[in-house]
Amino acid sequence: MSVPITLLVIIGNGEISRTTQFVVSYFHCKVCFHMNIPFLESARGVSFDWHIVQTMKWLEFDGGRRLDSTLVYAAVELRAAIERYIFELLYLLKEGNLSPSEQSRCRSITGMFTLMKETDPFYRKTIEFTKLVVSLSPGLPEVTMVDTAYLNRKWRDLSEYCHMQFHPEETFTSIGRKFQEAGFVLIHEVLEKFKKWKVESNCAILARSSLPEEVKDVYDRFIREEIDPGQARRMLILMEPVLQARLNSRQ
């Protein structure tokens, strides 16, 4: 079937022609091809680790060619990894007990990052207390503090590669492919940061619910800034023999 339609055509000087008439024949065309890329055929996961692996698989597929589409898909997966990591961090901080209101806020990226920003002071104090306990407990691994503001910034930077480009001459048709080169640098930077946090160190926090009552009291007072790190440390040292004796009696 053929029907006359009017197409908007961009002519050489960038102006749009609205008067060009065409007759277009509708037809059905099926193109069959096979690409041996197993990771594209696998079911999608939802965890932070899955998105990180998917990002790395896109880079492996790219093989250093710096392909535009590879950049877009890798940016999408890495951005999703950041979103999931922030959510999982919030989940840990709340010990798995996100309120209905908090769950609702986490359904939007704006709400989730805002909630993390509100929670960040508590997170930093919790990590500080965790480090304090680790320093008094031989054998426990060192823990690191994740810079959530950094992740927020990088999520926004990655977004530039995931949406419509209003000025293509500044993005995917930029001179010297500066936009693409910056994108690949960004992706490798964020991956390296996660490697530093997750592989070369330990991202962990104390679960308040697991602490003895005496330690909970010190923890709560520390979080409320009623005592400083030096005072908290001295209190933990003083109660250590009692806690150890209690532990031995249970064995």
Side-chain angles (χ1 to χ4, degrees):
M1 180 179 67
S2 298
V3 296
I5 63 173
T6 299
L7 298 181
L8 301 181
V9 179
I10 298 179
I11 56 182
N13 60 3
E15 296 179 356
I16 297 178
S17 170
R18 300 173 182 271
T19 59
T20 308
Q21 297 290 324
F22 291 89
V23 174
V24 179
S25 296
Y26 288 92
F27 59 92
H28 180 69
C29 177
K30 184 177 181 180
V31 180
C32 297
F33 60 92
H34 177 71
M35 297 180 66
N36 185 24
I37 312 177
F39 79 90
L40 290 181
E41 301 175 3
S42 62
R44 287 190 66 79
V46 297
S47 68
F48 161 78
D49 291 337
W50 188 90
H51 290 297
I52 288 292
V53 170
Q54 201 76 352
T55 303
M56 297 174 69
K57 285 181 178 179
W58 273 116
L59 294 180
E60 181 181 1
F61 168 78
D62 184 74
R65 292 172 291 176
R66 297 291 204 262
L67 300 175
D68 290 359
S69 292
T70 300
L71 172 59
V72 171
Y73 296 135
V76 168
E77 296 294 356
L78 188 52
R79 196 175 68 148
I82 292 175
E83 295 171 3
R84 186 67 192 188
Y85 188 82
I86 293 295
F87 174 76
E88 292 178 5
L89 181 57
L90 282 168
Y91 191 82
L92 287 176
L93 286 169
K94 302 290 183 176
E95 295 195 40
N97 296 314
L98 289 169
S99 69
S101 174
E102 291 169 336
Q103 292 181 40
S104 177
R105 294 176 69 183
C106 286
R107 292 182 183 276
S108 78
I109 188 61
T110 301
M112 186 170 66
F113 273 119
T114 301
L115 180 59
M116 187 67 244
K117 184 177 181 179
E118 294 169 2
T119 309
D120 194 64
F122 169 73
Y123 168 59
R124 291 180 178 277
K125 294 294 290 185
T126 300
I127 287 293
E128 191 176 358
F129 190 83
T130 302
K131 287 177 173 288
L132 182 58
V133 172
V134 167
S135 70
L136 299 174
S137 307
L140 290 181
E142 286 292 329
V143 295
T144 189
M145 183 181 297
V146 173
D147 186 348
T148 58
Y150 169 88
L151 292 179
N152 193 341
R153 293 194 304 272
K154 296 308 172 182
W155 183 91
R156 296 180 187 280
D157 292 342
L158 287 165
S159 297
E160 294 297 321
Y161 297 88
C162 303
H163 300 295
M164 183 273 294
Q165 305 299 329
F166 190 70
H167 295 289
E169 70 278 3
E170 298 175 4
T171 56
F172 284 104
T173 59
S174 58
I175 297 176
R177 292 174 55 82
K178 292 181 179 179
F179 181 72
Q180 292 94 320
E181 290 301 317
F184 280 104
V185 169
L186 171 63
I187 287 172
H188 284 287
E189 175 196 329
V190 177
L191 285 175
E192 188 62 29
K193 182 68 74 173
F194 273 127
K195 178 183 177 183
K196 179 181 178 181
W197 286 336
K198 297 280 287 182
V199 178
E200 298 176 358
S201 58
N202 299 279
C203 295
I205 57 175
L206 284 177
R208 181 185 180 281
S209 59
S210 69
L211 301 175
E213 290 303 320
E214 299 91 336
V215 180
K216 281 183 183 177
D217 180 64
V218 177
Y219 169 81
D220 290 341
R221 293 174 64 184
F222 182 78
I223 294 297
R224 294 194 298 264
E225 297 185 337
E226 296 174 359
I227 56 176
D228 61 29
Q231 291 172 310
R233 181 183 181 86
R234 287 193 294 272
M235 294 172 71
L236 291 173
I237 291 175
L238 287 173
M239 67 178 60
E240 194 276 335
V242 176
L243 297 175
Q244 188 60 51
R246 184 186 303 164
L247 179 62
N248 293 338
S249 68
R250 295 175 179 173
Q251 295 179 345

